[in-house]
Every structure is written in structure tokens, then in C-alpha cells.
Amino acid sequence: MTRFIKIALWTSAFALLMAAVPFLALPAAILWGSSLLIGALHLDTRGLTAIIILNVLIVSSLTGLNNTITLMCFFIIPAVMMSWWAQQGADYYFLQRWGVITAVIGVSLLLGWLYYKSGGLAMEQIEQQMQAQVEETIKYYEDSGMMALYEKQGLSSEEVKKALLSFMHAAIRHLPAFYYLQSIMAVFFMLFLASFLAQKRNLNRLIRKPFDQEIMPWQMAWVVIVGLVMWLWGRDQLSAIYYAGSNILLISVPIALYYGLAAIVYMIRRFQKRTRKILVIVLVVLSLLFTASAIIFLTVIGLFDSLLDYRRLRTKEE
């Protein structure tokens, strides 16, 4: 009973923070999800269900219906599903895979519902607000004298306005990718933190492989390829296909980059200690000097490692 009360207090505190302080929703959700996962390793199904209901009631009592639904789709449902599976003995990578799938489904349903509810009106309102914001920014630049600096560089106020509108237009078109990334990141870090805490407590559960032994699921590589094809196909007209593809790539790149870095670490560790130090220094310096190229390089490594499995990690598992 004492353990149940402790877990209930910890999860309730993080649920309260997640609901009451919107700008801390993501880190609070990660802490809440990881504490719920640890709780799932100690509690039976009834105890875990009781804590989940208590936490959902706390969130719903502090936020309106729309915010509760948003938090449910982004963080709560993926964490709840992972906790139930963990309570039934599922391993780390099963939870990771299905947690991400649950997050993607949840965000997709939420975005679909919002689009169905508002149609194109919401996008039009955002674009109108964007136009007004750009006008205010240009006026501020002119009043503060900053516009004179741009004019010295050969840029007129109309050109600056056009550049700002183009940037904000692109950012709005890629909001779905940021929503998906936020939910996927929450799943990754919930599990990572829960795994760390489980190993600290010698629970022998939620065991992660060493970083250099991790490999991106091969299905994810094909998602990247589909996104690239759509991006190239619609690039000339900047059509919906183009933006769908670019959103898929924006979601996929950080994931492929992570696994590409794992592959590089694996390769470096095969060298002698002195050589490893030199390679690490060279790679860090090159990454700082050519950041965009380093991102592309690591992403491509992660993609081809997933398809070709040149570390033979899947072969070893079989």
C-alpha cells in the first residue's frame, strides 16, 4: 500500500505540472510517463489502472476539454499503453515501437479531427495573423532604425517583408511535423528515463542495448524513401504532396540521424584507443564547421545502415 501511495503521489505531481504549466508540458509529460512506467513494474493491473484514472482526472479538472484531448493524444495515451504493456512484461524495444505507433496514430487523429472541425478556416486565420505579425515587425524595424541596416545591405522593406512571409509560411506548413516530433520525442525520453531508473534500482527490466548496438527499424527507412519521393514529385508546384513529403522528411531526419550516430560510434570503437580520440576530435570539428553536411551524412548513414545492416546486428539476433 505504501508503494502505491508513493507512485500515486509522484505521478499526480507530474500530471499536475503537465496540466497547470503549459510551457512545461513536454518535460512534465516525460517525467510523468517515466514515473508511470516505473510504477507499472511494481503494481498489479488494478493498482496501475487506479493511478491512471486518478491522473487523467487531475488533468481534466485543470484543463478544458480541448486541452485534455490534446494532452491525451500527444502524451497520455502513448504512456498509458506502454505502461500496460510493461506491466505485462513487454521489453524495451516492443514498448518503443508500439509507443511511437500509438503516438503517431494519436496525433493523426487529433489533426484529422481539427481539420474536419474547422476545415480551411483555421489555416486562413493563421495566415491572416501571420500577415498582421509581419506588418507589425516591419513597422518596428522602421521605427527602431533596424531597417536602415538591411537597406545598407541592399534589401528594401518589401524584400524583408517577403522573406519573413516566406519563412513563416514554410513554418506553418510544417507544423504537423513538429507536432509528431514532440509526441515521438516524449515516447523516446519517457522510455529512456524509465530504463535508466529501472537499472539504477536493479529491476532487470526495460533493458536497453548499448548505443552502438542500436539500429533503425528497416520499415522506417522506407518511410524516409516515400517522403523523399513525395518531396521531389511535388517540388515544382509546391503542392500538398510536396509539403506532405517535406513533413515526413522533417520527422524522419532526427530519427535517422540518431541511428546514424550509433553506427558511427560502432565504427569508431573498433579502432585503438589513441586512434579513437583522434577520430572523435576530427568528427566534432568537422561537424561544427559543416553542420548541415554532418546532419545529411549521419542521416544517410542511419538510412543505409537500416537497409543493409552492415553491422550485422539483425543477423546476430537471429
Side-chain angles (χ1 to χ4, degrees):
M1 191 64 181
T2 305
R3 180 174 288 174
F4 174 85
I5 293 172
K6 286 182 178 179
I7 294 170
L9 288 173
W10 274 110
T11 54
S12 297
F14 291 133
L16 179 65
L17 183 63
M18 178 170 58
V21 189
F23 69 90
L24 290 177
L26 178 58
I30 291 170
L31 293 171
W32 174 78
S34 60
S35 60
L36 189 65
L37 278 163
I38 292 295
L41 304 181
H42 293 287
L43 301 172
D44 58 17
T45 304
R46 288 177 60 187
L48 179 62
T49 303
I51 285 179
I52 290 169
I53 293 172
L54 171 64
N55 288 184
V56 171
L57 287 174
I58 290 172
V59 171
S60 61
S61 65
L62 293 174
T63 60
L65 177 62
N66 289 339
N67 288 337
T68 300
I69 291 173
T70 300
L71 290 173
M72 291 281 287
C73 292
F74 272 71
F75 310 123
I76 296 176
I77 293 176
V80 166
M81 297 305 296
M82 288 192 297
S83 298
W84 274 335
W85 286 320
Q87 199 266 336
Q88 294 169 19
D91 65 25
Y92 183 93
Y93 293 98
F94 178 93
L95 298 179
Q96 186 185 76
R97 180 170 62 253
W98 287 101
V100 168
I101 290 172
T102 304
V104 170
I105 292 172
V107 174
S108 298
L109 290 174
L110 178 64
L111 293 178
W113 176 71
L114 290 173
Y115 183 81
Y116 174 78
K117 184 179 177 182
S118 62
L121 293 176
M123 187 61 70
E124 290 177 6
Q125 290 174 354
I126 292 174
E127 289 181 348
Q128 289 172 2
Q129 293 173 0
M130 175 184 70
Q131 181 78 25
Q133 184 65 41
V134 169
E135 294 287 352
E136 291 179 8
T137 302
I138 294 297
K139 187 175 185 303
Y140 171 77
Y141 283 177
E142 291 174 344
D143 293 342
S144 63
M146 290 180 64
M147 188 58 69
L149 297 176
Y150 287 108
E151 289 175 350
K152 287 180 181 179
Q153 297 175 9
L155 294 172
S156 65
S157 60
E158 283 300 318
E159 289 173 325
V160 173
K161 179 180 177 180
K162 185 178 179 181
L164 286 173
L165 282 171
S166 176
F167 173 78
M168 296 182 76
H169 177 82
I172 289 170
R173 290 292 184 272
H174 293 94
L175 280 176
F178 290 109
Y179 294 148
Y180 282 110
L181 275 176
Q182 191 175 13
S183 188
I184 291 169
M185 282 176 57
V187 168
F188 267 85
F189 285 108
M190 284 177 192
L191 267 173
F192 183 88
L193 183 56
S195 173
F196 174 79
L197 294 172
Q199 304 318 306
K200 278 284 187 181
R201 299 179 183 186
N202 298 316
L203 295 180
N204 199 30
R205 290 290 312 279
L206 304 179
I207 299 172
R208 293 175 60 247
K209 298 175 184 176
F211 177 59
D212 64 345
Q213 298 294 313
E214 292 194 327
I215 184 171
M216 188 170 72
W218 62 267
Q219 296 91 339
M220 190 65 205
W222 286 104
V223 172
V224 177
I225 293 170
V226 169
L228 182 61
V229 169
M230 294 174 70
W231 180 72
L232 292 172
W233 188 9
R235 191 176 181 182
D236 292 336
Q237 296 80 24
L238 296 180
S239 61
I241 293 175
Y242 167 82
Y243 286 111
S246 59
N247 273 274
I248 291 172
L249 289 176
L250 193 57
I251 297 165
S252 305
V253 164
I255 299 172
L257 188 149
Y258 171 86
Y259 289 107
L261 184 59
I264 292 295
V265 170
Y266 174 87
M267 295 173 188
I268 290 175
R269 285 184 175 172
R270 299 177 69 183
F271 291 94
Q272 294 181 356
K273 189 174 181 180
R274 181 180 176 83
T275 308
R276 285 204 301 266
K277 289 182 179 179
I278 296 172
L279 286 173
V280 169
I281 293 171
V282 170
L283 286 173
V284 169
V285 171
L286 288 175
S287 297
L288 291 173
L289 293 175
F290 308 101
T291 304
S293 299
I295 291 172
I296 294 170
F297 173 72
L298 290 173
T299 302
V300 171
I301 290 292
L303 179 64
F304 280 95
D305 179 46
S306 175
L307 289 172
L308 303 176
D309 188 21
Y310 47 72
R311 288 181 285 166
R312 299 291 184 266
L313 299 180
R314 297 192 186 102
T315 305
K316 293 174 185 176
E317 289 177 358
E318 294 172 0

